Amino acid sequence: MDSSSTRRQATRQKLYEAAVTLIAEQGFSATTVDEIAERAGVAKGTVYYNFASKTVLFEELLRHGVGLLTASLRDAADGVRSRGGTSVEALDAMIRAGLVFIDAYPAFTQLYVAELWRTNRAWQSTLMVVRGEAVAVVESVLREGVERGELSGEIDVPLTAAALVGMVLVAALDWQSFQSERSIDDVHSALSLLLRGRVSGHAG
């Protein structure tokens, strides 16, 4: 990567961080390009040089953020696979990776979850594509587990994958908003018990 494209990436990163913070604070409509530029410490023209509009900036922000999440989930699963771990261990590692991501990017996570339930946005189709990419990583581990006989063949893979991703997102937001004194290990342990089907009190 040459120095100009490295510089452009750094500028885009600054704009993403400024936009996500402002939009989380005051909403998309209330946030102006001027404010994003000011928060990022760049000229207004720089925003338009990098993104055609505020809407395009937000769409790319969603793509970028969910891309980082997807990569961290994939890396977690691959790490377990490479050392011969089970599918349940891979899923557990992905839960932790999700919590680490959400802990690092809380404002982005809040925005992403809020936007998932809105249907009238210009970026809805992009959001569905990137959501699908994140969930597909979990689906692939579930399918592998079924094929290996480690998981029940009765599992509804798409719904279970979506439920696991949803569990981590909602539990992590609840952790940060209402139970922030708890450690990431504590939250991970609680979700790990859910994953392993131990909520009923029967060890399995």
Side-chain angles (χ1 to χ4, degrees), residues 73 76-77 80 85-98 135 137-143 145 150-151 155 160-161 164-165 167-168 188 191-192 195-196:
L73 295 177
V80 172
T86 66
S87 299
V88 172
E89 286 168 343
L91 292 165
D92 195 50
M94 290 164 95
I95 286 174
R96 184 170 189 94
V135 174
V137 180
V138 184
E139 285 185 15
S140 71
V141 174
L142 289 169
R143 281 200 185 90
E150 294 170 353
L151 300 173
I155 285 175
T160 303
L164 285 169
V165 172
M167 173 183 81
V168 174
H188 177 219
L191 298 186
S192 192
L195 171 69
R196 294 165 194 271

Side-chain angles (χ1 to χ4, degrees), residues 58-145:
F58 191 60
E59 194 167 332
E60 288 301 313
L61 166 65
L62 290 169
R63 197 188 297 274
H64 172 73
V66 182
L68 290 177
L69 172 60
T70 303
S72 68
L73 295 177
R74 191 176 290 119
D75 288 348
D78 288 348
V80 172
R81 281 181 180 128
S82 68
R83 59 175 188 270
T86 66
S87 299
V88 172
E89 286 168 343
L91 292 165
D92 195 50
M94 290 164 95
I95 286 174
R96 184 170 189 94
L99 292 173
V100 168
F101 175 87
I102 293 160
D103 193 41
Y105 303 102
F108 173 79
T109 307
Q110 287 169 6
L111 274 187
Y112 171 65
V113 171
E115 289 302 321
L116 271 177
W117 309 117
R118 294 196 174 108
T119 54
N120 59 342
R121 301 294 216 182
W123 47 79
Q124 191 67 24
S125 58
T126 295
L127 194 58
M128 289 303 99
V129 168
V130 294
R131 176 208 164 273
E133 288 168 1
V135 174
V137 180
V138 184
E139 285 185 15
S140 71
V141 174
L142 289 169
R143 281 200 185 90
E144 198 174 274

Side-chain angles (χ1 to χ4, degrees), residues 46-62:
T46 304
V47 181
Y48 289 117
Y49 174 71
N50 283 275
F51 305 99
S53 66
K54 185 176 70 164
T55 297
V56 171
L57 165 55
F58 191 60
E59 194 167 332
E60 288 301 313
L61 166 65
L62 290 169

Side-chain angles (χ1 to χ4, degrees), residues 164-195:
L164 285 169
V165 172
M167 173 183 81
V168 174
L169 285 170
V170 175
L173 288 177
D174 191 88
W175 160 42
Q176 295 192 326
S177 300
F178 307 115
Q179 306 181 56
S180 57
E181 73 286 353
R182 299 180 71 164
S183 70
I184 197 164
D185 290 336
D186 195 15
V187 178
H188 177 219
S189 294
L191 298 186
S192 192
L193 285 178
L194 270 176
L195 171 69

